[in-house]
Amino acid sequence: MQGLKPAIFGACALLAGLVLLCAGHPAAAQKAADPAACVLPPRPDTLWALAQCCERSLTGDVGCRAYDKKDQYVIIKDNSVRKPQSYLIIPTKRVTGIEDSLIAQPPVLEFWQYGWAQSRTYPGYPPADTAMAINSAHSRTQNQLHIHISCVRPAVRTALDQAEIDFFPAKPVTLRLPPHDNLYRAIRVTGLSGEQSPFVVFQDDPGVKDHMADQSIAVVGSATAGQYFVLDTRVDGGNTAHAEELLDQTCQSATR
């Protein structure tokens, strides 16, 4: 019987997927326990499928980073080679995008706060270098709500620091921002949840509330703890409301 052990273990190595033959082999047991790799459909449903996959298991796809069962979201690494320091917060229930009525209800209402908390790790830069953005319905390729988490462009940071921007609920400041000189409204807030959720701070304006599909929102951190800039832009001529343009998704100018 002693002479049979090497042969048995060799069979386990070759047939790791056959649990009945290799139940005692650690590698085979691990392989059997792992979920199947995600099979992702094409746009516009890729992110919806990926969110479901990461909800089932963080080992289901290389992009999965974190899952919060209570608040119903996942954090996923953006797989674009042009965005090496970009992440996404995505609900694990069906929420189409910025125009969906669920953005005014918990937990989606609080996603900016959740995303900001996760930004301490993903991508992990100081608050003054961090920014988040959601694009309009006209400027996205996916029909599952997702907020981009990355760094702010230095020129945008400078423009905001130099502008005189009051705190919500004061009147927003209107300014043009790089890189495409698009028109934005900006206001300061002291939190990103509840009445100060970026999803709702501009909705006193009927032109916003009744046309959310045309809006795009960004949050930029401040050097002052507990303060944030909230910005919005809307579809207008050549501006497709793509606030993601304000992000530097390489974080090359950010500091650790």
Side-chain angles (χ1 to χ4, degrees):
M1 297 296 292
Q2 293 292 329
L4 292 178
K5 289 183 178 180
I8 293 173
F9 289 142
C12 286
L14 292 173
L15 304 171
L18 301 179
V19 178
L20 290 177
L21 292 179
C22 305
H25 194 281
Q30 179 64 42
K31 185 176 181 66
D34 285 345
C38 294
V39 178
L40 302 178
R43 298 171 178 176
D45 295 316
T46 313
L47 286 186
W48 168 232
L50 186 53
Q52 293 178 296
C53 175
C54 295
E55 178 186 18
R56 290 192 298 270
S57 173
L58 291 178
T59 65
D61 187 89
V62 68
C64 303
R65 291 295 185 274
Y67 166 50
D68 190 304
K69 181 178 181 179
K70 174 179 177 291
D71 295 317
Q72 302 175 47
Y73 70 81
V74 293
I75 301 294
I76 294 174
K77 175 69 182 68
D78 194 312
N79 66 1
S80 171
V81 295
R82 298 180 293 104
K83 306 174 183 179
Q85 295 293 329
S86 184
Y87 296 82
L88 306 171
I89 180 170
I90 307 174
T92 53
K93 62 181 180 180
R94 193 60 148 155
V95 185
T96 306
I98 193 170
E99 74 281 8
D100 199 304
S101 62
L102 290 175
I103 66 167
Q105 302 174 26
V108 183
L109 177 68
E110 316 296 343
F111 267 33
W112 296 93
Q113 181 62 52
Y114 301 152
W116 191 265
Q118 290 286 354
S119 75
R120 302 303 90 225
T121 303
Y122 310 107
Y125 290 91
D129 292 322
T130 303
M132 303 189 295
I134 186 170
N135 297 318
S136 73
H138 307 272
S139 191
R140 69 175 190 235
T141 61
Q142 298 288 332
N143 284 338
Q144 175 67 1
L145 184 144
H146 55 287
I147 299 174
H148 299 263
I149 308 171
S150 193
C151 294
V152 64
R153 288 180 181 271
V156 173
R157 158 93 279 146
T158 299
L160 293 174
D161 287 341
Q162 292 177 349
E164 295 185 6
I165 301 173
D166 289 332
F167 286 90
F168 177 79
K171 183 179 180 180
V173 171
T174 300
L175 64 163
R176 293 192 178 275
L177 292 175
H180 301 300
D181 203 34
N182 285 322
L183 199 64
Y184 283 82
R185 296 187 303 171
I187 198 163
R188 292 180 192 258
V189 296
T190 56
L192 297 173
S193 63
E195 293 181 350
Q196 295 190 96
S197 169
F199 280 134
V200 299
V201 295
F202 295 110
Q203 289 198 30
D204 284 343
D205 179 350
V208 171
K209 187 172 184 178
D210 298 338
H211 301 280
M212 285 301 293
D214 296 337
Q215 310 300 314
S216 184
I217 301 171
V219 169
V220 177
S222 169
T224 303
Q227 294 185 17
Y228 314 85
F229 297 98
V230 177
L231 305 97
D232 84 324
T233 188
R234 67 184 68 183
V235 173
D236 181 22
N239 178 12
T240 60
H242 185 255
E244 189 185 351
E245 68 179 358
L246 305 180
L247 307 186
D248 169 16
Q249 296 180 90
T250 68
C251 294
Q252 289 182 347
S253 299
T255 57
R256 285 291 187 182

